[in-house]
C-alpha cells in the first residue's frame, strides 16, 4: 500500500482532537466544529453531527468570523486548522470579533514551531506572542498528545476564548502516564523534579527538555522540567516556587521566537514580582529565515536543540550565585 | 523594450514537443515522489504540469541566464504547494539543475523545499505557500511594470480552492480598477481542495461568472490540452490593454496516474519504490490512451 499523508494523519494528536470533539459533541449540543479545509481528522464529528460541522474552504478569516457569530448565539465553536494561517490571516477576527467580546471560541491547530518542513510560510513561530497580546485570550501549547483531549474537555467550561497550539508529525510521544499529573489550564506541570535548575518549556520541546534532564542526571545534576503548557494566564506561583527550590536558575526552552513567547512571559513575572534569579537563559527561534529541514535538524541549526539545551542548563547551574558574587 | 528576453523566431517548441516535455515533467515528479520520504503535493503538481510546461516552455518571456532582467515576464506561483512542479519545469528550461533538486529536495539548507522561497532560491519571484498571497503581489508587479512603461506580463497561477480566500477577490477588483491588461491569472480548476471535492462543501459555481463579474476577461480551456494552452497564450490581449485576463484551466487532480486521479488521498503523498513503478506504468498507459 502506498503511504499517503494529509497534514491531519501525520499527527497522532490530531486523532485525539477528532475523537475528543466527537465525544464532546454528544454531551454538548451547542458544540460546533469549523475548519478552513483542514478537516481530515474531523470526519467522525462531521459524520455524527453534519449540521454542526462547517468547512468554509480556503477562508480562515471567515471561519473565525462565523465562529464569533455562532458564539454570540450561545454556541461553543471550535475552529480547527493550521496555526500560521489562523493566527495571522485571521488575527483581526480573533482579536476584534472573538476576544474583545470574550466569546467562548476555541482555536486549535497544528504547525506551531519549526515543524513539518513546510518552510517559513508554514511555521507558526510568532503565534504565541500574538495570542498572548490579546485581551481575554487563554493561550496553551500542548506537547503530550493525550493532554490535548484533556485541555479541550476543560476548555468547554471557559467563558472566553482559548488558543491551543500543537506541533505536527509522527513523532509525538505520549509523555505522561494516564492520571500521572493533575492537568489544569493555568497550572504548570512539574514533569520531572530536580533541585539544581528548572527548564521551563511547552509543546514539542517538553520531550527534549526531559531528555536533557536525563542526560544531565548522568553527571549527577538534578534538573527540574516544568511543562508550562498554559502561557496565559501564567502560573506565577510555580515560577516563584521554582526560583526558590531550584537555586534561582532558569532555562526557558521553546519552539517559538525566543523573544515574545514563554521566556518573555516568565521574564515579566520575574521582573514584576522582584523574583531574584541567579541565572536565566532562553532557547528558542532567532529572528532569521528558518529554512527547510526536519524538526530536530532545524532546532539544532537554530541553537535550541538537545545539545544546546544541555549546555545552557550546565551554564546556569555553573553560574555564580548572587550571594557569593556580592 | 523586451527584445533581450523574448522568444526568438523559431525558438519555441511545437505542441508535440511541449506534450513530450509535459510527459517528462510528470515522470520526473513521480520519481521524486517515489524517492523522497516526505509528502509531495503530487495531486496538484500533476494537475498543473501541462500549464507549467506551456508557461515555462512557450509562454513566458524569461531568460534562465538573466533572472533579474527587468523586462522579463514575472511568474508567481500562488498555489505554492506545487513548488516542486515549478522547480522541475524551470530546470527543464535551464534555470536550475534537476540533479540538484532531486538530491537535496526538502533537506536541511536545500534551496528546494515544499514551498518556493525567494530568499533561498533566486529565480522564483516571491515566496509563497500561504494561499491567497500571489495575486495581490502580482497586481503590485503589474502596476509597477505599467508605470515603468515596460511591456512584460505578470502571470499568476492559482488553485481553485485557493480562490476561496478573500484576498484573491480583493486583488481581482484592484486589477480591474487599475486596468491591468498586463496581468494574467491561470486557475488550475481541478475541482478539488485538500479535503473535499468542489461543490460538496464549497459552492464555486458559477465560477467563470464570478471572474466576469469582477471585470476580467475569461478564457475557459481544457488545461491538459496543450494546443488549447498554446492558443490561450497566443490570444492574450496586448499587455497595454486595459482588462486583466483569467484562463480557467479545467484539469484533473492527479492527472496521468489513474489511482491518483480525483482521489482526495493524493492531495499529498509519498510513493514507495514499488508504487513508483505502478505510477510510471499508469502514466505510460495514459499516454498510450491519449495518442490512440
Ligand atoms: C492560507 C492557507 N491555508 C491552508 C493551507 C493548506 N493547504 C495547502 S494546499 C490546500 C488545498 C488547496 O486547494 P487548491 O487551491 O484547489 O489547490 P490544488 O487543488 O491545486 O492542490 C490547503 C488547504 C495553505 N497552504 N495556506
Ligand atoms: Mg484544486
Amino acid at each position: 500500500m502506498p503511504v499517503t499523508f494529509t497534514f491531519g494523519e501525520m499527527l497522532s494528536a490530531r486523532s485525539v482532537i477528532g475523537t475528543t470533539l466527537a465525544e464532546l459533541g454528544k454531551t454538548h449540543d451547542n458544540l460546533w466544529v469549523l475548519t478552513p479545509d483542514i478537516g481530515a481528522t474531523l470526519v467522525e464529528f462531521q459524520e455524527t453531527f453534519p449540521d454542526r460541522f462547517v468547512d468554509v474552504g480556503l477562508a480562515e478569516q471567515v471561519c473565525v468570523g462565523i465562529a464569533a457569530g455562532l458564539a454570540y448565539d450561545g454556541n461553543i465553536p471550535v475552529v480547527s486548522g493550521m496555526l500560521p494561517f489562523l493566527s495571522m490571516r485571521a488575527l483581526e477576527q480573533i482579536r476584534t470579533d472573538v476576544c474583545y467580546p470574550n466569546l467562548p471560541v476555541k482555536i486549535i491547530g497544528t504547525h506551531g514551531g519549526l515543524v513539518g518542513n513546510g518552510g517559513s510560510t508554514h511555521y507558526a513561530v510568532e503565534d504565541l506572542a500574538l495570542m498572548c497580546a490579546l485581551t481575554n485570550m487563554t493561550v496553551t501549547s500542548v506537547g503530550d498528545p493525550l493532554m490535548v483531549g484533556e485541555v479541550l474537555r476543560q476548555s468547554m467550561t471557559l467563558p472566553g476564548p482559548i488558543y491551543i497550539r500543537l506541533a505536527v508529525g509522527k513523532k509525538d510521544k505520549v509523555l505522561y502516564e494516564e492520571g500521572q499529573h493533575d492537568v489544569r489550564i493555568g497550572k504548570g506541570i512539574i514533569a520531572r523534579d530536580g533541585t539544581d535548575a528548572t527548564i521551563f518549556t511547552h509543546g514539542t520541546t517538553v520531550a527534549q527538555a526531559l531528555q536533557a534532564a536525563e542526560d544531565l542526571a548522568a553527571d549527577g545534576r538534578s534538573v527540574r522540567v516544568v511543562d508550562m503548557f498554559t502561557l496565559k494566564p501564567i502560573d506565577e506561583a510555580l515560577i516563584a516556587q521554582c526560583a526558590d527550590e531550584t537555586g534561582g536558575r532558569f532555562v526557558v526552552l521553546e519552539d517559538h521566537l525566543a523573544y515574545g513567547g514563554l521566556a518573555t512571559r516568565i521574564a515579566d513575572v520575574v521582573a514584576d514580582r522582584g523574583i531574584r534569579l541567579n541565572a536565566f537563559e532562553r532557547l528558542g527561534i532567532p529572528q532569521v529565515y528558518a529554512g527547510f529541514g526536519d524538526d530536530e535538524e532545524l532546532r539544532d541549526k537554530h541553537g535550541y536543540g538537545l545539545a544546546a539545551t544541555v549546555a545552557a542548563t550546565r551554564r546556569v547551574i555553573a553560574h555564580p550565585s548572587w550571594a557569593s558574587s556580592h | 523594450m523586451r527584445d533581450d528576453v523574448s522568444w526568438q523566431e523559431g525558438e519555441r517548441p511545437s505542441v508535440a514537443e511541449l506534450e513530450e516535455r509535459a510527459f517528462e515533467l510528470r515522470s520526473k515528479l513521480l520519481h521524486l515522489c517515489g524517492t523522497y520520504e516526505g509528502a509531495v503535493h503530487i495531486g496538484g503538481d500533476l494537475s498543473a504540469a501541462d500549464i507549467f510546461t506551456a508557461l515555462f516552455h512557450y509562454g513566458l518571456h524569461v531568460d534562465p541566464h538573466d533572472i533579474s532582467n527587468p523586462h522579463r515576464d514575472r511568474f508567481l506561483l500562488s498555489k505554492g504547494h506545487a513548488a516542486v512542479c515549478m522547480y522541475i519545469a524551470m530546470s527543464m528550461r535551464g534555470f536550475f539543475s534537476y540533479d540538484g533538486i532531486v538530491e537535496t529536495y526538502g533537506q536541511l539548507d536545500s534551496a528546494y523545499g515544499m514551498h518556493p522561497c525567494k530568499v533561498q532560491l533566486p529565480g522564483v519571484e516571491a515566496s509563497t505557500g500561504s494561499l491567497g498571497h500571489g495575486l495581490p503581489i502580482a497586481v503590485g508587479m503589474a502596476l509597477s511594470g505599467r508605470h515603468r512603461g515596460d511591456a512584460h506580463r505578470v502571470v499568476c497561477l492559482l488553485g481553485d480552492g485557493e480562490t476561496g480566500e478573500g484576498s484573491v477577490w480583493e486583488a481581482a477588483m484592484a486589477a480591474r480598477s487599475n486596468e491591468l491588461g498586463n496581468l494574467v491569472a491561470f486557475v488550475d480548476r481541478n475541482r478539488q481542495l485538500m479535503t473535499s471535492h468542489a461543490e460538496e462543501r464549497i459552492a464555486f459555481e458559477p465560477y467563470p461568472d464570478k471572474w466576469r463579474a469582477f471585470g476580467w476577461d475569461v478564457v475557459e480551456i481544457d488545461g491538459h490540452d496543450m494546443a488549447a494552452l498554446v492558443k490561450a497564450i497566443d490570444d492574450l490581449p496586448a499587455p497595454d490593454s486595459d482588462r486583466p485576463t483569467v484562463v480557467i484551466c479545467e484539469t484533473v487532480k492527479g492527472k496521468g496516474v489513474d489511482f491518483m486521479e480525483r482521489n482526495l488521498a493524493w492531495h499529498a503523498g509519498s510513493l514507495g519504490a514499488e508504487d513508483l513503478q505502478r505510477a510510471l506504468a499508469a502514466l505510460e498507459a495514459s499516454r498510450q490512451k491519449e495518442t490512440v
Side-chain angles (χ1 to χ4, degrees):
Chain A
M1 276 299 287
V3 197
T4 63
F5 300 94
T6 63
F7 286 114
E9 286 163 359
M10 277 164 74
L11 180 63
S12 60
R14 276 295 195 107
S15 62
V16 178
I17 301 177
T19 42
T20 308
L21 289 176
E23 161 204 314
L24 290 170
K26 290 185 195 121
T27 47
H28 297 75
D29 62 7
N30 58 347
L31 178 73
W32 287 66
V33 174
L34 299 96
T35 184
D37 193 27
I38 311 290
T41 52
L42 306 172
V43 175
E44 194 180 338
F45 186 95
Q46 176 217 332
E47 285 176 351
T48 323
F49 310 106
D51 297 349
R52 290 188 272 138
F53 176 79
V54 185
D55 179 352
V56 295
L58 273 294
E60 291 77 11
Q61 296 180 318
V62 89
C63 202
V64 175
I66 292 172
L70 287 165
Y72 267 120
D73 209 30
N75 297 294
I76 302 181
V78 177
V79 176
S80 179
M82 289 170 71
L83 295 180
F85 315 127
L86 286 176
S87 70
M88 294 190 285
R89 182 84 43 102
L91 178 60
E92 195 183 356
Q93 278 78 8
I94 294 175
R95 170 193 175 271
T96 302
D97 304 338
V98 171
C99 289
Y100 176 55
N102 199 23
L103 295 172
V105 173
K106 291 148 218 343
I107 311 276
I108 185 164
T110 58
H111 294 74
L114 300 185
V115 296
N117 201 1
S120 62
T121 53
H122 280 56
Y123 304 136
V125 301
E126 51 285 272
D127 60 322
L128 296 173
L130 298 171
M131 291 301 133
C132 284
L134 303 181
T135 304
N136 291 323
M137 185 62 112
T138 295
V139 181
T140 64
S141 166
V142 185
D144 179 274
L146 292 172
M147 233 169 87
V148 173
E150 186 51 34
V151 170
L152 259 179
R153 275 187 289 277
Q154 287 185 22
S155 76
M156 296 305 291
T157 54
L158 278 182
I162 183 170
Y163 181 80
I164 306 173
R165 180 201 221 226
L166 310 176
V168 71
K170 296 162 275 186
K171 290 183 225 151
D172 286 307
K173 265 197 237 159
V174 176
L175 300 172
Y176 310 126
E177 285 169 38
E178 188 92 50
Q180 187 186 349
H181 298 291
D182 178 20
V183 174
R184 268 184 295 151
I185 293 172
K187 295 282 165 216
I189 292 172
I190 299 180
R192 176 186 174 114
D193 212 353
T195 52
D196 294 338
T198 301
I199 305 176
F200 292 93
T201 185
H202 58 82
T204 24
T205 46
V206 178
Q208 181 180 305
L210 288 168
Q211 185 60 51
E214 184 70 28
D215 292 358
L216 287 158
D219 287 4
R221 299 303 188 186
S222 164
V223 176
R224 176 178 291 184
V225 174
V226 170
D227 180 347
M228 206 61 125
F229 75 94
T230 313
L231 281 87
K232 185 170 175 267
I234 192 90
D235 189 347
E236 296 195 19
L238 183 59
I239 295 168
Q241 184 191 333
C242 290
D244 269 0
E245 295 174 357
T246 66
R249 295 163 196 284
F250 286 1
V251 172
V252 187
L253 164 69
E254 58 191 322
D255 206 353
H256 182 273
L257 290 182
Y259 289 81
L262 180 62
T264 295
R265 304 286 302 157
I266 291 177
D268 285 351
V269 173
V270 166
D272 290 351
R273 285 195 159 208
I275 293 171
R276 183 169 292 191
L277 295 184
N278 284 311
F280 181 93
E281 284 214 28
R282 57 176 99 211
L283 298 173
I285 307 169
Q287 283 192 328
V288 296
Y289 171 76
F292 302 106
D294 74 28
D295 309 1
E296 251 170 64
E297 288 173 332
L298 288 177
R299 274 184 238 155
D300 285 339
K301 174 177 172 178
H302 294 296
Y304 65 107
L306 178 60
T309 308
V310 169
T313 311
R314 274 192 216 287
R315 278 195 303 272
V316 302
I317 293 173
H319 197 276
S321 58
W322 248 82
S324 62
S325 56
H326 292 267
Chain B
M1 272 312 293
R2 59 187 302 164
D3 294 348
D4 40 350
V5 281
S6 289
W7 288 99
Q8 301 303 308
E9 195 59 32
E11 205 187 22
R12 279 168 152 171
S14 67
V15 168
E17 284 166 334
L18 289 168
E19 285 170 343
E20 203 47 48
R21 286 186 202 182
F23 181 83
E24 182 185 336
L25 173 56
R26 285 195 168 86
S27 314
K28 286 178 164 170
L29 279 167
L30 291 176
H31 271 107
L32 189 105
C33 190
T35 48
Y36 177 64
E37 58 192 32
V40 173
H41 288 91
I42 191 72
D45 288 333
L46 291 171
S47 65
D50 300 300
I51 303 170
F52 275 113
T53 304
L55 287 175
F56 276 100
H57 295 259
Y58 185 89
L60 295 172
H61 298 275
V62 286
D63 179 353
H65 307 294
D66 185 9
I67 56 173
S68 35
N69 187 307
H71 309 303
R72 73 192 185 281
D73 286 342
R74 310 296 197 271
F75 175 75
L76 284 137
L77 180 60
S78 201
K79 50 168 276 184
H81 55 286
V84 72
C85 192
M86 177 176 74
Y87 304 149
I88 298 177
M90 289 177 78
S91 77
M92 290 166 61
R93 178 77 194 274
F95 278 88
F96 315 128
S97 132
Y98 172 63
D99 291 344
I101 298 169
V102 177
E103 281 157 21
T104 70
Y105 182 77
Q107 290 172 27
L108 188 66
D109 296 329
S110 174
Y112 309 102
M114 197 186 286
H115 301 97
C117 173
K118 188 173 174 58
V119 179
Q120 287 188 318
L121 188 62
V124 308
E125 299 286 359
S127 300
T128 50
S130 176
L131 297 167
H133 285 237
L135 198 60
I137 298 172
V139 169
M141 288 179 172
L143 259 178
S144 173
R146 164 78 41 101
H147 183 72
R148 283 196 286 108
D150 203 294
H152 70 257
R153 285 198 181 88
V154 182
V155 177
C156 180
L157 175 59
L158 301 109
D160 55 349
E162 179 185 8
T163 62
E165 294 286 354
S167 56
V168 172
W169 300 103
E170 294 173 29
M173 193 179 263
R176 180 67 187 107
S177 305
N178 289 283
E179 305 186 333
L180 297 176
N182 55 347
L183 178 65
V184 185
F186 280 75
V187 175
D188 182 355
R189 181 83 171 107
N190 58 27
R191 296 178 185 257
Q192 280 178 228
L193 298 82
M194 180 148 98
T195 52
S196 71
H197 292 274
E199 311 307 318
E200 269 174 22
R201 297 179 185 175
I202 314 302
F204 288 91
E205 293 294 349
Y207 193 69
D209 287 346
K210 289 193 164 69
W211 287 95
R212 278 188 202 104
F214 276 75
W216 285 52
D217 279 344
V218 177
V219 179
E220 295 173 70
I221 61 169
D222 172 351
H224 300 307
D225 178 343
M226 195 58 77
L229 281 160
V230 162
K231 182 170 184 323
I233 290 166
D234 287 344
D235 291 349
L236 285 174
D240 62 1
S241 69
D242 64 357
R243 281 165 73 95
T245 302
V246 59
V247 183
I248 300 176
C249 303
E250 197 66 49
T251 56
V252 172
K253 204 155 170 172
K255 173 70 178 177
V257 181
D258 53 5
F259 62 90
M260 292 180 174
E261 288 187 0
R262 300 190 177 85
N263 183 348
L264 288 174
W266 283 102
H267 170 73
S270 176
L271 286 159
E274 203 174 298
D275 289 298
L276 170 58
Q277 293 315 315
R278 194 158 71 94
L280 289 170
L283 183 64
E284 184 60 46
S286 95
R287 167 153 77 167
Q288 300 301 334
K289 211 164 71 195
E290 280 181 13
T291 44
V292 171

